[in-house]
């Protein structure tokens, strides 16, 4: 178990915090939590404001392959894969790697990258439809915080079940009260979030032995 920043080479996105704060209405939160067209490709107030492939995950895919020592023929699963950008890039940087994804959004899967058609499963992170130890690595980025705490524990257990000791989970967090305040003015979908200590307690409760990192607004 280790804290490791596998997204260090992801470009930082510009965020208009004030605009999002003003848009943080119960209606917008409900729309974003449907993970439909509005969330991915609608206005920034309810989600990404356009979720398009631009190759930014390639360096992250390289770092994941290196970190998990993945090789052709190995199997990797991205839980909360959205349109499959990372799944595609994992296979680009490591030809022969068997990469798959799972997401709750039918919209995202229906608008996935052509290279990953047939590799993405519709489902929920707290009930992964795969056998025990069936992957060499399981990755889940910015997804597990979308559950209430008890369900987040189940989702972390699922990552561990599929790839014991070979998970990577990144979730929303904050290291200071100021960062927490900033996060609260931005958050739309996350139902459970905490300081790193709180998350590590949750990971331990779930019996998780993989790695992790935090998404922190600054
Ligand atoms: C912030 S996006 C992250 C997408 C991608 N991992 C990335 O980092 O660009 C959160 C993703 O989690 C998915 N999601 C939300 N709840 C989920 C659940 N219960 N099971 C699986 N995926 C879920 C959403 O549809 C969305 O694609």
């Amino acid at each position: 178990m280790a804290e490791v920043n596998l997204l260090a080479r992801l470009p930082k996105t510009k965020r208009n915090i004030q605009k999002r704060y003003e848009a943080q209405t119960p209606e917008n939160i409900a729309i974003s939590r449907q993970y439909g067209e509005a969330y991915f490709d609608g206005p920034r107030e309810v989600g990404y404001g356009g979720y398009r492939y631009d190759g930014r995950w390639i360096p992250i895919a390289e770092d994941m392959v290196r970190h998990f020592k993945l090789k052709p023929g190995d199997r990797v699963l991205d839980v909360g894969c959205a349109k499959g950008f990372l799944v595609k890039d994992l296979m680009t940087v490591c030809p022969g790697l068997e990469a798959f994804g799972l997401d709750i959004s039918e919209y995202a899967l229906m608008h996935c990258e052509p290279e990953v058609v047939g590799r993405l499963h519709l489902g929920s992170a707290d009930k992964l439809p795969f056998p025990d130890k069936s992957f060499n690595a399981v990755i889940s980025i910015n997804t597990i915080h979308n559950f209430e705490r008890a369900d987040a524990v189940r989702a972390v257990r699922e990552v561990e079940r599929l790839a014991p000791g070979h998970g990577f989970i990144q979730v929303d967090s904050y290291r200071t009260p100021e960062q927490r305040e900033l996060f609260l003015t931005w958050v739309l979908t996350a139902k459970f979030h905490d300081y790193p200590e709180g998350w590590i307690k949750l990971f331990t409760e779930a019996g998780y032995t993989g790695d992790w990192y935090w998404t922190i607004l600054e």
Side-chain angles (χ1 to χ4, degrees), residues 1-4 6 67-68 136-139 156-157 159-161 163-170 199-200 203-204 206-214:
M1 290 228 292
E3 179 172 309
V4 45
L6 290 181
H67 179 73
F68 288 111
N136 299 90
V138 175
I139 295 157
V156 172
R157 273 202 192 111
V159 172
E160 181 70 17
R161 182 178 68 78
H166 290 89
F168 174 75
I169 295 175
Q170 176 143 339
W199 275 112
I200 290 170
F203 292 155
T204 307
Y208 182 63
T209 62
D211 303 324
W212 64 78
Y213 205 67
W214 322 115

Side-chain angles (χ1 to χ4, degrees), residues 112-128:
C112 71
E113 290 296 293
E115 294 83 352
V116 299
V117 169
R119 291 184 170 272
L120 308 187
H121 298 253
L122 186 63
S124 184
D126 59 340
K127 200 163 184 276
L128 299 174

Side-chain angles (χ1 to χ4, degrees), residues 35-76:
Y35 304 109
E37 181 172 3
Y39 176 72
F40 289 98
D41 294 318
R44 189 68 167 134
E45 286 76 13
V46 293
Y48 279 101
Y51 189 79
R52 294 179 206 94
Y53 182 81
D54 61 6
R56 70 176 58 197
W57 289 94
I58 287 179
I60 288 71
E62 287 169 352
D63 290 348
M64 300 256 169
V65 166
R66 202 173 303 123
H67 179 73
F68 288 111
K69 301 185 174 56
L70 296 170
K71 54 185 188 317
D74 282 353
R75 305 163 60 84
V76 55

Side-chain angles (χ1 to χ4, degrees), residues 1-63:
M1 290 228 292
E3 179 172 309
V4 45
N5 184 4
L6 290 181
L7 272 67
R9 294 203 283 154
L10 192 69
K12 297 252 179 302
T13 44
K14 283 212 179 70
R15 302 176 197 241
N16 187 332
I17 305 270
Q18 181 60 29
K19 201 165 169 211
R20 169 64 70 82
Y21 177 60
E22 287 159 10
Q24 243 181 358
T25 61
E27 294 76 21
N28 281 349
I29 289 172
I31 291 170
S32 66
R33 285 183 177 160
Q34 289 170 10
Y35 304 109
E37 181 172 3
Y39 176 72
F40 289 98
D41 294 318
R44 189 68 167 134
E45 286 76 13
V46 293
Y48 279 101
Y51 189 79
R52 294 179 206 94
Y53 182 81
D54 61 6
R56 70 176 58 197
W57 289 94
I58 287 179
I60 288 71
E62 287 169 352
D63 290 348

Side-chain angles (χ1 to χ4, degrees), residues 7 10 32-36 39-40 48 51 56-57 78-86 102-106 108 121-128 139-147 155 172 189:
L7 272 67
L10 192 69
S32 66
R33 285 183 177 160
Q34 289 170 10
Y35 304 109
Y39 176 72
F40 289 98
Y48 279 101
Y51 189 79
R56 70 176 58 197
W57 289 94
D78 180 15
V79 176
C81 63
K83 296 182 185 178
F85 300 164
L86 180 60
L102 176 137
D103 202 284
I104 205 165
S105 168
E106 190 173 330
H121 298 253
L122 186 63
S124 184
D126 59 340
K127 200 163 184 276
L128 299 174
I139 295 157
S140 185
I141 298 170
N142 293 334
T143 298
I144 289 178
H145 51 228
N146 293 320
F147 287 111
D172 281 338
T189 59

